[in-house]
Amino acid sequence: MRVLLTGHQGYLGTVMAGRLATAGHDVTGLDSGLFAGCVLGPPPADPPGHRADLRDVRAELLEGVDAVIHLAALSNDPLGALSPELTYSINHHASVRLARLARDVGVRRFLYASTCSVYGASGGDDLLGEDAPLRPVTPYAESKVRVEDELLELADDDFTPVLLRNATAFGFSPRLRADIVLNNLVGHAHLTGEVRVLSDGTPWRPLVHVADIADAFAAMLDAPREAVHARAFNVGGEQNNLTVAGIAGHVVEAVPGSRLLITGETGADPRSYRVDFSRIRQALPGFHARWTVKAGAVELAEAYRTYGLTQADFRERFTRLAWLAERRSSGTVTAELRP
Ligand SMILES: NC(=O)c1ccc[n+]([C@@H]2O[C@H](COP(=O)([O-])OP(=O)(O)OC[C@H]3O[C@@H](n4cnc5c(N)ncnc54)[C@H](O)[C@@H]3O)[C@@H](O)[C@H]2O)c1
């Protein structure tokens, strides 16, 4: 297939581009390059791509494309808090605009990177399936809910939107993010010897390895239309529904000599949910999330050692909010986050 992959120079996109190429797809990227230089280890081989802002995409770019995989976004809660307005203009309006353009030029499948954060404060110990109430608690999560709703309205006989609600990702990608829970805890332990949990450790977090996300999207391209048309799927596996304290326990094991410190300084966290992943396994019989958090912690610790992660890069280059704040203040991106 000819696939347009937005966000191909991000954390997930860099791994996904490789996965899609291995599957034989003809991949073109689209990214404004906000984090193109945020690389740990050898530089990745990017597919051919457009250096463009999602807000400026024109229909020509989508002509001849069979499927769009849409990852580009301000990708977490702190970025959303930086500017709710920008979050809605990029994550919501520009995403829906991209989907409309895609539908109008005859793209048949549109895979959307949503998030399990849409369940937000749904809380409790019950496993949440895709029909559970959506209770987003941040502009980031709210932007994802709005896009989901509008994509479903665009579905028709020729256009198949699919909503992939990814659990929080973990694992090594050459374009690292250190601001997601496991990557962060392993980095902190590697650099300081402490596994520092700022909450009380009780919130549930579903996690999924970046390679398993890439596998899920690749399988969604091939799935029969009737199995996936206009449906939402949680992406992950039940074995990786863990409390933050449970995640931290795996980190202590993976980083020799580190010790656990639960400070509780940020108090209770309303974002807590456990997720049911049976629907995606039923729709994609070959798919299951292979990576455990335990194995991911070991993989990250090895990568940080091998590539010499530094404290400065951990705090800035690999922390999306800090990196953008620095680039804004040095004038290499505008206030609207255009390079
Ligand atoms: N990483 C996770 O834990 C996770 C979990 C659930 C969902 N997701 C979703 O998956 C997607 C990818 O996440 P990620 O972790 O790779 O994030 P990331 O920040 O590493 O990558 C996002 C990419 O989008 C690009 N981008 C941002 N604004 C743009 C714009 N206006 N125009 C063009 N490109 C723009 C950035 O340059 C970057 O390369 C996001 O939509 C995110 O919300 C991620």
Side-chain angles (χ1 to χ4, degrees):
M1 284 186 198
R2 284 196 61 195
V3 179
L4 181 75
L5 174 65
T6 77
H8 74 290
Q9 291 180 310
Y11 169 70
L12 297 184
T14 299
V15 172
M16 202 167 308
R19 175 69 184 77
L20 297 174
T22 304
H25 297 296
D26 176 1
V27 181
T28 304
L30 184 149
D31 200 301
S32 60
L34 294 172
F35 311 109
C38 298
V39 170
L40 182 69
D46 290 333
H50 306 280
R51 176 58 64 90
D53 194 291
L54 193 61
R55 290 164 286 185
D56 306 328
V57 169
R58 294 213 304 266
E60 298 92 87
L61 224 141
L62 290 149
E63 272 159 16
V65 166
D66 299 305
V68 171
I69 295 183
H70 180 38
L71 307 180
L74 297 183
S75 57
N76 64 9
D77 292 332
L79 283 180
L82 175 76
S83 163
E85 236 169 69
L86 274 178
T87 300
Y88 290 121
S89 97
I90 296 172
N91 290 14
H92 175 204
H93 299 295
S95 294
V96 173
R97 192 173 148 277
L98 176 75
R100 278 184 202 286
L101 288 173
R103 189 183 69 157
D104 291 349
V105 303
V107 173
R108 297 188 70 84
R109 198 161 285 198
F110 191 95
L111 307 185
Y112 176 57
S114 187
T115 165
C116 288
S117 323
V118 295
Y119 301 118
S122 292
D125 289 341
D126 294 341
L127 285 179
L128 301 176
E130 288 80 353
D131 299 326
L134 305 186
R135 300 210 174 94
V137 293
T138 62
Y140 166 72
E142 174 63 32
S143 74
K144 296 282 177 181
V145 172
R146 292 185 190 181
V147 177
E148 285 197 2
D149 287 346
E150 294 189 39
L151 285 180
L152 294 182
E153 286 168 21
L154 294 177
D156 65 18
D157 287 350
D158 301 315
F159 184 71
T160 290
V162 188
L163 318 175
L164 289 97
R165 293 181 185 154
N166 301 291
T168 299
F170 66 87
F172 181 71
S173 159
R175 287 207 179 80
L176 185 71
R177 278 183 62 181
D179 53 6
I180 36 184
V181 60
L182 186 71
N183 299 9
N184 183 271
L185 290 176
V186 176
H188 212 273
H190 165 75
L191 292 164
T192 69
E194 270 182 7
V195 182
R196 227 179 146 77
V197 174
L198 304 182
S199 71
D200 62 4
T202 59
W204 288 103
R205 284 284 186 284
L207 301 190
V208 62
H209 194 278
V210 55
D212 286 326
I213 295 181
D215 279 354
F217 277 75
M220 282 289 172
L221 287 177
D222 296 332
R225 177 183 180 279
E226 56 282 7
V228 299
H229 181 75
R231 296 183 82 193
F233 295 92
N234 296 328
V235 179
E238 286 80 0
Q239 77 277 19
N240 292 335
N241 276 320
L242 296 171
T243 62
V244 176
I247 296 167
H250 288 304
V251 178
V252 173
E253 281 177 31
V255 182
S258 63
R259 66 186 183 99
L260 179 60
L261 206 71
I262 298 187
T263 70
E265 65 200 71
T266 58
D269 186 339
R271 298 166 307 162
S272 179
Y273 38 86
R274 296 174 73 217
V275 175
D276 178 319
F277 297 98
S278 51
R279 182 184 284 182
I280 192 167
R281 288 191 298 271
Q282 278 154 17
L284 307 175
F287 173 78
H288 73 281
R290 290 172 297 123
W291 277 81
T292 61
V293 169
K294 186 182 168 81
V298 171
E299 178 206 32
L300 284 162
E302 269 173 28
Y304 293 168
R305 268 197 305 273
T306 306
Y307 300 129
L309 177 70
T310 64
Q311 184 70 259
D313 280 351
F314 177 67
R315 284 184 188 286
E316 190 173 290
R317 183 180 297 275
F318 301 126
T319 297
R320 294 294 185 247
L321 181 60
W323 182 249
L324 282 186
E326 198 288 322
R327 291 196 64 190
R328 266 174 143 186
S329 68
S330 65
T332 57
V333 300
T334 66
E336 285 74 39
L337 302 182
R338 291 174 190 276

